[in-house]
Every structure is written in C-alpha cells, then in structure tokens.
Amino acid sequence: MGALISVPGEFQHLAEKTGFSLEQIGILHRRFQQLSHGETTIRRENLRSIPDLSCNPIRSQIIQAFFDKRNFQQDGEGSVQEIGFEEFLTVMSHFRPPGRNLTPEEMEGLRREKLRFLFNMHDTDNDGTITLEEYRHVVEELLSRSGALGKETAKGIADAAMLEVASISVGHMVWAHS
Amino acid sequence: MTCPVLTRVIGGIRGCIRCRWSFWLLLFIFLFPLILGETSAQGDHNLQTGTDGTSINSNHTKRSFPVLHLRYKYVQLPFEISLWILLASLMKLGFHLLPGLSSVVPESCLLIVVGLLVGGLIKVGGDKPPMLDSELFFLCLLPPIILDAGYFLPIRPFTENIGTILMFAVVGTLWNVFFIGGMLYGLAQLDASRLGGLDLLACLIFSSIVSAVDPVAVLAVFEEIKINELLHVLVFGESLLNDAVTVVLYHLFEEYVGMTSVSALDVFLAVICFLVVSLGGVLVGTTYGILAALTSRFTATLRVIEPLFVFVYSYMAYLSAEVFNLSGIMSLIACGVVMRPYVEANISHKSFITIKYFLKMWSSVSETLIFIFLGVSTVVGPHSWNLTFVTISVVLCLISRVLGVIGLTYIINKFRVVKLTATDQFILAFGGLRGAIAFSLGYLLKQEHFPMKNMFLTSIIVIIFFTVFVQGITIRPLVDLLAVKRKQESKQSINEEIHTQVMGNLLAGIDSVCGCYGHHHWKYKLCRFNKRYVKRCLIVEERSREPQLLAFYNKMELRQAIEMMETGGETKQLPAVPSTESLQSPASEQTGVPQISRELEAEIRRIVRGNLKKTGQKLYPYRRPTLVGNPFEDDFQDQLREKQRAKVGRRMSAFLTDQDFPSRTIARISVVPQAHSSRPTIPATQKD
C-alpha cells in the first residue's frame, strides 16, 4: 500500500507507470485528498459517501473494483480494505483514453487490459471464472433500481443470456465436470 | 363439356400473365391515358361548351337521353394524381423485375430517366407536362420521407457522433456557400461578358441553394449500398441538419436582394436568426412529440386510430414550423425522435406494424414521384444554357466539397476517439449528393429579382444530374474497390444489451468518483430524469416502471416467437448465431467433454420461454399472436400452463445449478480470454 505522495517529483514516477500526464495526476490527487478527507488512504465508506454514486445500480461492484488486488498488479489475489493514491491511480488508468500513435499490438494489449478489468468486476469470488450465479447477480443489480421485479425475472434473463453465449462461442467454452 | 378453343385461349392468357412481359403491357396500358389525359383536358372543355350550346338551342326540341357521357373534368385532378402515383409505383416494380439492372444503376437514376421519357412523350403529344411545383414538393412530397427518416433514426450512433454531424452540417455548409459564391463572383468579375453580369448577392444565393446535401438523394443512394453505420449516420445526419442553415441563408439573401452593402448588424441578426430557426424548429417538434405521446397514453380503448395520431401530429409539427419560417425538417425529426419511445410503449403491436409500413410506403412513393417529376421538369423547364456557368459551378461544387471534408476532418479528428480515415473522408466527400430540394428552392426564386433565374435552374439541374448519375453509379464499385466496411447484419443479442448497460453505468460511476462531469454523466442523468418523471406522465400506468432491459428482452423474445411461427417450427434457434456443427467439432478435441444434446437444448429453451411468459404476463401485456384466436380459450389454458411452467422453471434452476444432477450440472463457463477479444459484439471496444 502506498504512502501519501506529497512530493510532486514522485508524480513523475507515477506518470510513467500509469500513463497519465502530470496535470491529470495533479487533478486526481486533489480529488483523492477530497475523498479521503486529508488522510493517506481511502476506505470503502469514503467512496460510498459520494452522492452521485449512490444512485448507480452497480455501485457496489464499482467500489469493489477499486479494492480488488487483481486490478493493481498482474497476479494479485483477493481484496484489500484500504488503498493509497498509487492504487487509486492504477485503477483509474484503465479508463484513460489511448494515446495517439499506438501500434496495433499496443491497442490489442490495451483492449485486453480493459476486458480483464470488466471480467474481474463480474467475477466476484476471484476464482477466474464467471459462473451462472455471478451473471445472475449482475442482471439483478441492473434491474434492482426498478423495484418490485424479483429474482424470477433476473433469473430468466440471465439464463437466456448464458444460453446465448453457449450457442455462439462453444468452441472456446469448457463445460467443467464438478 | 369443355370448348377446346376456350381452353386454348385461357391457357394462352395464363401463360402470358405468368410471363414478365405482361407486366410491361400493363404499364403501357396506363401510360397512354396519362398522355391522353393531359391532352384531352382541353378537348373535354370544348365538349362541355358544345353540349351547353346545343342544350340551350334545343330547349324546345327534345334531345335523346345520353347513355354514355364523358365527364372527365369532374374527376380530372384526383384521376391524374392517382395515375401518376400508379405509374411511379409500376416503374419502381419494373426495375426490380429487370434482372441485373438495379444492382448497377441506382433507382433514382432510372426514375429520372423515366421522368425524362414521360415528359418528352407528353411534350410530343402537344401539351405542357406538369412541373415539380414547389408547394406540392415541400408540403406533400417531402414530409413523408423526412418523417420516415426521423422516426427510424438510429439514436445511439446519431447522438454519439452529434458533434461531428453538426460540424459538417453547419460549418461545412457555410464553407461551401461562401467558397462557391465567392469564387463565382471572382470569376464573374474576371470575365463579365460570358457569365452574364452576376452580382455578389446572386452568386451567394445560387451557392446557398446548391451547397446543401440533399436527404432524399442521399437516402436513395446510400440505402442500396449498405455501408457501415458510422458513415451512413454521418452523411445522413448532415443532410438532415443542414436544412436550418439553408433556410436561413436563402431567406437572408432573398431579403437583401436590393441592397449593396451588408453591415455587421445584418450578420449578427443572421446568426441570431439561425439559432432561432434551428432551436425553434426543434422546440416545435418536441412539443408535438410530447403531445402525441400523451395522446397515445389514452388510446387503449380505440386502437384503430393510433397510427393516425402519429401521422397527424408529425405533419402538424412540420406545418407549424413552416408557418413561422422555422426549419420544418428539424421539427419533423425532433417530433419523431421524441415521440417514438413513449408511443411504442403505449400502442399495440398491430398499430406499431401499421405505422412502420405506412411510413415506408409513403416515403417510397414520395421518393419515386420526386425523381420522376425531376425528370419531367427537366424536359419542361425554361432553360437558358450557358456552358461556362454550368461547368464552373459543377467543378466548384466538387472542389469545395472535397476541400471542406478534408479540412473539417483534420479539425474533428483532434476531438474524436474513433478517427475518420482517408477512405471515410472519400466516401463523405463523395456522398454529398444534391437533389430535388435544391431544384425547388431555385424554382421559388422570383424572376424579377433574379433575371438569370433560368440559367440558375439549368445549372442546378445539371449539378443534380451529375451528382445523382455520376456519383450515384460510381459509388457502388468504389465502395467495393476501397473495401469500405459494410453494414454488419448483427442480430440483437441480450448479452450485448446487458453489457452495454453495465458499461454505461460503470463509466458514469467512474465519472462520479472522479468528480468530473463527462458526457456519460449527463447521459446518465438524462436517463434517470426520463425514467422518474417523463415516463410516468407519458406511458400507460403498468408499463411506465418497466426497466429497459426487460422491455428489450421481451421484444426480442416476441420477435423470435413470431419468426419461429412463420418458419413453422424447430428450424430456427434462439437469439444468436446458430450452428450445431460448431457444437460438435472443437469441443470434443479440447477436453473430451460431452456436448449438450438436442433434447436438452430444446428443454432449456422451453424453460427459458416459460420464464418469460410468466414475467410477461405480470407486467407487459403484449398479446402474442396466436394461431387460434380465441381469447377466452387462451386465458383458461394459460392457467393450466401456469402450473406446468412453475414446475418446469424449478427444474431449470435445478439443472443449471444443482450439484446432484448428473454429469453436467455445474454450468461453469470458463471464458478463455481469446474468446472475449475475438468476439465482435463486446462493447468494451467502444472505449477505445
């Protein structure tokens, strides 16, 4: 976990690591200070207190994504309780617009990173696979804002979606034995 | 006892009807009355006075009772209109019967040629063929096409590219106007004798007529070549939104016809006028759209007139905008776009289909008539041929379009995430077709203010012909040559919808965490506002709280069910691409895992449908079209099926998650990363 980076010189190191410009890092640092109320780390409660985020259907998953170790480094596992500025920036860097002159391989790598981020968001039990339950959970969250629909609907939709996946990409799918 | 001669005759007739030539015979049968009708209009007049004369004279003598009486004047107008429409539609049908022709030459070209022929025939017959009257064009022929375009406008690509579209529509058109006008004036100064004494204002008004890309022509050509959605929406959106610019400039230059100097105040007022025209048009359209949505909320008891409200409100929006000289096209588009989501949630399925087909039908007929009349008017119109002017204007049009596109793309690409490539720019430049709007605007010029009106008209016609014929015919092989991405026939997939919503929410969430308000944030806020307040007012009670995902799912399943019934059974499969071969080959090599058998798949499908029907009955009373149409019977049977479905639904959940079910229970799908990135439907690529 990173300590508070107070010296702007450190920003250079972060800029190289995450690809943000110094100006952008400055803005995000100010926001980090604002969210953490001056402390060095953020907890989930800090993020939950953002008013706009509270009406987002998938807020719990978004917040979880910030504390998921897999998003900090390549082979991390599990989640943490609080993050520092470096981790905050690393997660944010997934949403940075791509630079101008990237080679096709770099674009491919960037795309894969973003897909990995999405995958991690859905795969809540950190086991490397998305099960039907997890997918159902996603659909339930999406529909959760609309009130009295219940689990039946979400289940129906998620089941149909899974079946669709099955019929498209069976070549790459593995039906595992228990 | 059959008469052999009779059978032979009937056999012959049947043979003829089956043969395609009977179609052309039919066509010519209708062509002659059209030509005769024009000339007989005068003959009939003589006949009338003749009979009047004789009746006065023969007041005292009894005349014989007229058994057969020619009374053409009574029905002349509707008769001729119907004949024209019939002719237009038969011609259109004819092109599709001719093998191979419609794949080389776009329909619009063929229709113009037909118009030329018919106009020529009528002229040879000794009478004046009807002109493309501007009033007829703007009030009757144009609205159906624009309404069709606006109602079925693909909203998502349109709003994603709205910045680019506006740049092309406003800045691009302005550039065209001033470049062409300026260059013409400059050249006129150089060589005054040949170009017939044009002053600056005349040049500018000519260029303002000729600069705007025409939606009718663009639709006619681009519909057939089916390029990818981005380019289509760019060219088409530009052609719709530049109407405001054209209207303002045209009226501006017309007003200042006598004046020699233009002050800064005039320019300022012109800018204000532009804002008023465009925003005012949108406002009028939105108001009528909301009214239509509100009305559709109450039509549950009288379903048959639902389509009528949609059409009449839209037409009223157009006319109301035209009353105040606002942009009628933008008003119509705004009305269609605003109205659609709410009306579609309220009206019955049959009304929806009616609206769709009526709009398509009317717009198709309008388009055909426009092009035919364009051809006819070419034959008629007073022409004043001036070779220099015509060639210069054609060349200038091309050059200014190319320069405009290149310049604007350079600026726009700095702000876009998905850049426009050189091929895209070429198609954009090539797609700047001019059409009947330019002609009608030219026709409206007053002769006394613009003595060279005929020269302008000739030039406009030549430009239209050039763009429609040359560019229209060559664009198809060019698109193939340049390997432009074609429109992908993508089936709507429930996964895509789920992921799109997740992505949208995710990005809005990240915006919130960042504390900055990007366009995702505003889109999200608009959605919420829509859901909370607007939908409550405008949509019928039960359906207003239904989430979009569910509505989408229901619609998709409904469509699937209808398709299945139409093709008669088990040939079609569930939403996405079916291919049972893919189920067999690779999987068995990989891990030796058994695939799901056909029966199991069919059972899963039934269960999933069961889930849908259950939820659908609670919330979304779409009536699935049944073959046996007895409602009472359905209700009773439904209750029986209800229980069955509940049982089956439980078995489905058991199958998919239960540990005890043999061999393939745990539906663990381990998604190999390559699979994800190779699939084209993953919307994560939008982030690039």
Side-chain angles (χ1 to χ4, degrees), chain B residues 371-599:
Chain B
F371 283 114
I372 288 191
F373 270 118
L374 207 53
V376 172
S377 309
T378 314
V379 170
V380 168
H383 289 301
S384 150
W385 178 261
N386 183 335
L387 185 64
T388 333
F389 185 72
V390 167
T391 37
I392 290 181
S393 53
V394 171
V395 168
L396 278 178
C397 267
L398 282 175
I399 295 179
S400 84
R401 175 78 184 164
V402 171
L403 287 178
V405 167
I406 294 180
L408 280 175
T409 320
Y410 180 71
I411 301 175
I412 287 172
N413 268 346
K414 297 207 168 99
F415 299 98
R416 276 180 72 88
V417 178
V418 178
K419 317 275 182 213
L420 293 172
T421 65
T423 321
D424 292 338
Q425 291 175 37
F426 181 74
I427 298 290
L428 281 175
F430 220 65
L433 305 170
R434 272 64 164 184
I437 292 186
F439 180 77
S440 310
L441 282 177
Y443 195 64
L444 281 176
L445 286 175
K446 297 193 188 33
Q447 186 80 26
E448 56 273 14
H449 292 156
F450 299 98
M452 65 293 297
K453 171 179 164 176
N454 294 336
M455 188 169 73
F456 284 176
L457 271 181
T458 315
S459 184
I460 292 173
I461 287 186
V462 171
I463 293 178
I464 296 177
F465 273 37
F466 181 80
T467 55
V468 171
F469 277 89
V470 173
Q471 287 179 231
I473 294 182
T474 54
I475 200 167
R476 209 187 297 230
L478 275 173
V479 158
D480 288 332
L481 194 66
L482 294 172
V484 177
K485 266 195 295 196
R486 292 307 190 93
K487 177 154 77 169
Q488 282 164 327
E489 298 294 337
S490 58
K491 298 232 177 164
Q492 285 184 302
S493 120
I494 184 79
N495 270 302
E496 207 174 312
E497 183 68 22
I498 292 178
H499 281 293
T500 314
Q501 286 210 6
V502 167
M503 291 288 304
N505 285 323
L506 174 65
L507 291 170
I510 295 288
D511 268 355
S512 314
V513 172
C514 268
C516 57
Y517 296 129
H519 69 273
H520 286 283
H521 179 86
W522 294 118
K523 211 195 302 185
Y524 184 66
K525 276 234 146 82
L526 187 67
C527 269
R528 274 188 52 220
F529 172 72
N530 189 14
K531 205 189 288 189
R532 212 189 267 178
Y533 302 114
V534 182
K535 275 194 183 171
R536 279 250 199 96
C537 300
L538 296 179
I539 299 187
V540 171
E541 243 348 279
E542 313 89 65
R543 300 190 201 164
S544 64
R545 265 174 268 116
E546 192 179 64
Q548 185 190 342
L549 188 60
L550 189 60
F552 177 85
Y553 179 60
N554 285 338
K555 218 185 275 188
M556 204 184 61
E557 281 293 307
L558 183 67
R559 200 175 307 141
Q560 211 56 40
I562 294 177
E563 262 176 40
M564 267 189 86
M565 258 192 302
E566 277 175 6
T567 60
E570 298 303 307
T571 49
K572 277 260 173 89
Q573 310 203 3
L574 258 194
V577 177
S579 171
T580 44
E581 295 90 271
S582 66
L583 278 174
Q584 264 106 42
S585 36
S588 39
E589 279 103 80
Q590 276 190 6
T591 45
V593 162
Q595 304 85 35
I596 48 177
S597 63
R598 282 288 185 89
E599 300 83 39

Side-chain angles (χ1 to χ4, degrees), chain A residues 31 52 55-57 92 111 129-130 132 135 142 149 153 155 160-161 163-165 168 170-171 173-175 177, chain B residues 493-495 499 505 509 512-514 524 528 550 553 574-576 583 590 593 619 653 656 663 668-669 688:
Chain A
R31 179 64 177 170
D52 288 322
C55 16
N56 201 311
M92 283 303 206
R111 218 169 266 168
T129 54
I130 298 183
L132 189 61
Y135 210 53
L142 275 182
L149 275 183
T153 327
K155 216 163 13 143
L163 195 61
E164 195 183 75
V165 170
I168 296 178
V170 173
M173 247 176 34
V174 176
W175 288 83
H177 284 293
Chain B
S493 120
I494 184 79
N495 270 302
H499 281 293
N505 285 323
S512 314
V513 172
C514 268
Y524 184 66
R528 274 188 52 220
L550 189 60
Y553 179 60
L574 258 194
L583 278 174
Q590 276 190 6
V593 162
L619 283 185
S653 333
L656 284 175
S663 80
R668 290 184 146 263
I669 300 177
D688 294 327

Side-chain angles (χ1 to χ4, degrees), chain B residues 556-662:
Chain B
M556 204 184 61
E557 281 293 307
L558 183 67
R559 200 175 307 141
Q560 211 56 40
I562 294 177
E563 262 176 40
M564 267 189 86
M565 258 192 302
E566 277 175 6
T567 60
E570 298 303 307
T571 49
K572 277 260 173 89
Q573 310 203 3
L574 258 194
V577 177
S579 171
T580 44
E581 295 90 271
S582 66
L583 278 174
Q584 264 106 42
S585 36
S588 39
E589 279 103 80
Q590 276 190 6
T591 45
V593 162
Q595 304 85 35
I596 48 177
S597 63
R598 282 288 185 89
E599 300 83 39
L600 220 44
E601 202 181 307
E603 186 172 314
I604 295 176
R605 231 178 274 135
R606 243 184 310 123
I607 293 168
V608 166
R609 281 236 168 75
N611 276 343
L612 160 72
K613 194 77 195 294
K614 229 183 339 171
T615 63
Q617 279 186 339
K618 284 196 194 110
L619 283 185
Y620 203 35
Y622 259 1
R623 287 197 199 90
R624 284 177 56 175
T626 50
L627 292 172
V628 184
N630 191 344
F632 300 109
E633 203 172 301
D634 275 359
D635 280 338
F636 175 67
Q637 283 189 357
D638 279 341
Q639 282 178 8
L640 279 175
R641 282 196 220 121
E642 197 74 24
K643 288 184 199 154
Q644 219 181 358
R645 240 173 253 129
K647 205 165 49 171
V648 160
R650 266 172 276 150
R651 276 176 63 200
M652 163 69 162
S653 333
F655 162 78
L656 284 175
T657 59
D658 196 354
Q659 299 270 354
D660 296 329
F661 210 85

Side-chain angles (χ1 to χ4, degrees), chain B residues 97-346:
Chain B
L97 286 181
L98 279 177
L101 189 61
S102 54
S103 55
V104 173
V105 183
E107 232 171 57
S108 37
C109 302
L110 294 170
L111 289 170
I112 293 185
V113 167
V114 165
L116 286 173
L117 282 174
V118 171
L121 281 174
I122 296 183
K123 205 161 190 186
V124 157
D127 193 23
K128 196 168 165 13
M131 274 284 265
L132 182 61
D133 182 27
S134 293
E135 220 175 77
L136 173 74
F137 175 73
F138 279 115
L139 292 182
C140 298
L141 292 178
L142 191 60
I145 303 180
I146 303 294
L147 180 62
D148 179 39
Y151 197 78
F152 294 109
L153 195 65
I155 290 296
R156 185 160 264 162
F158 188 75
T159 48
E160 278 174 7
N161 294 301
I162 190 78
T164 317
I165 293 177
L166 279 176
M167 271 290 268
F168 276 116
V170 177
V171 178
T173 314
L174 282 174
W175 156 260
N176 276 348
V177 168
F178 288 111
F179 182 76
I180 297 178
M183 291 293 280
L184 267 179
Y185 183 59
L187 288 170
Q189 297 294 76
L190 284 179
D191 196 347
S193 56
R194 291 265 214 90
L195 287 177
L198 295 165
D199 63 331
L200 182 62
L201 213 55
C203 291
L204 282 176
I205 205 170
F206 173 74
S207 63
S208 73
I209 294 175
V210 127
S211 309
V213 178
D214 188 84
V216 180
V218 163
L219 259 180
V221 169
F222 273 55
E223 275 289 302
E224 295 176 8
I225 60 178
K226 294 197 190 328
I227 51 172
N228 63 14
E229 204 174 43
L230 172 68
L231 285 178
H232 187 249
V233 97
L234 282 179
V235 180
F236 187 58
E238 181 198 339
S239 68
L240 289 177
L241 294 185
N242 65 18
D243 180 61
V245 180
T246 313
V247 162
V248 169
L249 285 177
Y250 182 77
H251 288 297
L252 178 74
F253 295 136
E254 217 184 9
E255 280 292 312
Y256 295 145
V257 129
M259 319 212 312
T260 44
S261 66
V262 178
S263 65
L265 182 65
D266 296 326
V267 174
F268 180 66
L269 283 177
V271 172
I272 300 284
C273 182
F274 167 70
L275 288 173
V276 166
V277 160
S278 49
L279 293 176
V282 170
L283 194 66
V284 168
T286 315
T287 320
Y288 274 101
I290 293 179
L291 282 176
L294 196 59
T295 313
S296 71
R297 187 181 166 173
F298 303 109
T299 54
T301 46
L302 195 60
R303 295 280 186 196
V304 278
I305 57 172
E306 274 168 348
L308 182 73
F309 283 122
V310 170
F311 299 139
V312 172
Y313 272 113
S314 315
Y315 196 46
M316 289 288 289
Y318 181 75
L319 294 175
S320 309
E322 288 289 325
V323 165
F324 298 104
N325 245 349
L326 306 171
S327 166
I329 291 185
M330 292 184 79
S331 159
L332 206 48
I333 303 276
C335 183
V337 164
V338 165
M339 181 166 66
R340 186 177 178 199
Y342 309 111
V343 162
E344 280 193 359
N346 284 334

Side-chain angles (χ1 to χ4, degrees), chain A residues 91-137:
Chain A
V91 173
M92 283 303 206
S93 72
H94 288 286
F95 296 95
R96 192 178 38 90
R100 277 289 190 83
N101 306 314
L102 290 182
T103 66
E105 298 89 46
E106 285 175 4
M107 285 294 265
E108 205 38 58
L110 210 63
R111 218 169 266 168
R112 186 167 298 185
E113 244 181 71
K114 295 183 183 187
L115 284 169
R116 175 53 60 174
F117 183 82
L118 263 187
F119 186 83
N120 289 341
M121 222 174 72
H122 288 319
D123 181 20
T124 46
D125 57 1
N126 295 359
D127 61 357
T129 54
I130 298 183
T131 64
L132 189 61
E133 265 314 310
E134 287 165 345
Y135 210 53
R136 275 188 196 154
H137 186 61

